[in-house]
Amino acid sequence: MPDIILHHYPQSPVAEKVRIVLGMKNVPWRSVLIPRLPPKPDLMPLTGGYRRTPVLQVGADIYCDSQCIIRELERRCPQPTLFPNGAAGLPWALSRWTDGALFTLVVGVVMSAQADELPEDFANDRGRLYFGPNFDWQAQKKVLPHTLAQIRAQFGWIDERLSGNRDFILGTEPGLPDALCYHVVWFLRGRYLGGPALLAQFSNLVAWEERVAAIGHGHPEDLDSKEALAIARCATPQSTEQRDDDDPQGLAPGQMVAVAPDVDGGDPAVEGRIVSVSLDHVAISRQDAEVGDIVVHFPRVGYRVASLA
Ligand SMILES: N[C@@H](CCC(=O)N[C@@H](CS)C(=O)NCC(=O)O)C(=O)O
């Protein structure tokens, strides 16, 4: 099996979600550390402009967004499954809450509580990314107690789910819902001074958090970013053509498109020619001067695919 390469940085909560999934799979992987802010010169040749964290590389196939990354990890390493007890489907819906509304509330607390101490370029970048061009950390700081009340009630849901000696969210086996909920808890605990006290109110959640942390990250081995580029250059994309005659946008292999997150975060679009498309993914091929032929994979949910033809 070719190497699984994760481009990430230690402080990234979304990367922590994927690292925990790699722990659940208990697989070897290569770890490339990337900068927390653009420019990301050794990542851009691979993604064609996608700048978020994490990114998965397998040879010359690049997977953007944790949704797409986790789907690919489940496909490549099906056992143990992330969907024990026939739980497929619903965890993806849960991810729209954990990665969406809940994550945004936690980013608001973590960032606005430190608004006066954070480096300006970092605060401005994350403000734009998560709250759009009119972000205002000082205004968010004023409503911190309200935001904490929102988060506390929602963490209460997780705690309630884990009552009655349920080890993991789906029962006795860990699965995708654990990684989804855990990364937000990990973020609040590690990056907000009041996080540990808030979490201490939830005994089921805290005991579960320790069980998920104990799963670990699998078996990472450091890889230099230049070596990752060399691996891509020497590899050939493995993606094969796939069409979907029911695609609502009429997307089809061969078409030139631009793909970007469907949020007002100022993310650049990635341009390329569709190789494969389905209800939950689109993969586009591009040529890069540094790494040659590359196929970049995106989820459909949360992404806008615009036709350039
Ligand atoms: N929807 C994306 C969100 C990724 C995301 O926003 N990650 C944060 C880090 S936790 C990020 O990209 N920050 C800006 C950066 O790393 O440049 C996913 O699930 O992968």
Side-chain angles (χ1 to χ4, degrees):
M1 188 169 78
D3 282 343
I4 291 171
I5 303 170
L6 190 70
H7 297 254
H8 66 133
Y9 48 80
Q11 302 89 342
S12 159
V14 184
E16 179 64 11
K17 172 174 55 173
V18 171
R19 292 186 294 251
I20 287 289
V21 165
L22 288 161
M24 289 175 180
K25 299 291 183 188
N26 200 18
V27 286
W29 54 282
R30 315 294 300 275
S31 163
V32 177
L33 295 183
I34 59 172
R36 292 175 79 182
L37 282 177
K40 306 189 182 190
D42 291 342
L43 185 67
M44 293 304 109
L46 299 171
T47 64
Y50 180 83
R51 54 75 48 116
R52 296 204 183 214
T53 308
V55 167
L56 180 77
Q57 173 188 356
V58 184
D61 282 276
I62 306 299
Y63 300 86
C64 297
D65 194 287
S66 58
Q67 206 189 135
C68 198
I69 293 172
I70 291 170
R71 225 185 277 281
E72 184 59 18
L73 290 174
E74 178 75 2
R75 193 185 72 79
R76 283 178 184 271
C77 323
Q79 295 305 329
T81 179
L82 298 172
F83 307 99
N85 308 318
L90 205 57
W92 293 118
L94 186 75
S95 81
R96 297 307 84 196
W97 164 59
T98 54
D99 298 28
L102 182 60
F103 189 78
T104 305
L105 288 168
V106 175
V107 175
V109 165
V110 166
M111 295 293 295
S112 66
Q114 316 172 63
D116 302 323
E117 297 104 62
L118 284 173
E120 201 178 325
D121 54 351
F122 185 74
N124 288 342
D125 180 72
R126 295 310 196 261
R128 175 75 176 91
L129 211 58
Y130 293 110
F131 299 99
N134 302 319
F135 72 90
D136 181 345
W137 291 129
Q138 293 306 332
Q140 290 209 30
K141 197 171 177 172
K142 287 198 186 108
V143 297
L144 209 59
H146 163 78
T147 312
L148 286 166
Q150 300 302 307
I151 292 172
R152 182 169 173 257
Q154 295 179 44
F155 279 6
W157 299 342
I158 302 175
D159 189 66
E160 201 179 335
R161 173 66 192 171
L162 292 161
S163 65
N165 292 326
R166 191 178 268 118
D167 282 347
F168 296 102
I169 290 179
L170 294 170
T172 51
E173 304 299 324
L176 182 55
D178 299 296
L180 295 173
C181 294
Y182 177 79
H183 87 289
V184 190
V185 169
W186 180 87
F187 190 25
L188 191 81
R189 178 181 293 287
R191 299 269 284 285
Y192 171 57
L193 223 50
L198 189 147
L199 290 164
Q201 299 168 32
F202 301 111
S203 57
N204 301 315
L205 186 152
V206 169
W208 158 87
E209 189 188 356
E210 283 167 13
R211 282 191 286 277
V212 179
I215 291 170
H217 293 159
H219 307 281
E221 198 185 304
D222 290 345
L223 180 68
D224 184 77
S225 59
K226 299 283 184 224
E227 274 185 59
L229 290 173
I231 289 171
R233 192 161 48 242
C234 295
T236 305
Q238 297 300 298
S239 314
T240 51
E241 188 177 302
Q242 183 185 341
R243 55 179 63 244
D244 176 359
D245 293 335
D246 297 318
D247 188 88
Q249 291 182 251
L251 299 180
Q255 201 174 337
M256 276 300 292
V257 292
V259 186
D262 191 14
V263 289
D264 192 10
D267 294 89
V270 182
E271 296 186 2
R273 200 172 286 286
I274 294 179
V275 177
S276 92
V277 62
S278 73
L279 81 175
D280 55 28
H281 91 287
V282 60
I284 61 177
S285 79
R286 24 178 314 276
Q287 284 70 43
D288 180 272
E290 212 169 328
V291 292
D293 289 342
I294 285 282
V295 170
V296 191
H297 304 244
F298 293 95
R300 289 297 285 278
V301 172
Y303 284 74
R304 189 164 283 275
V305 186
S307 177
L308 297 177

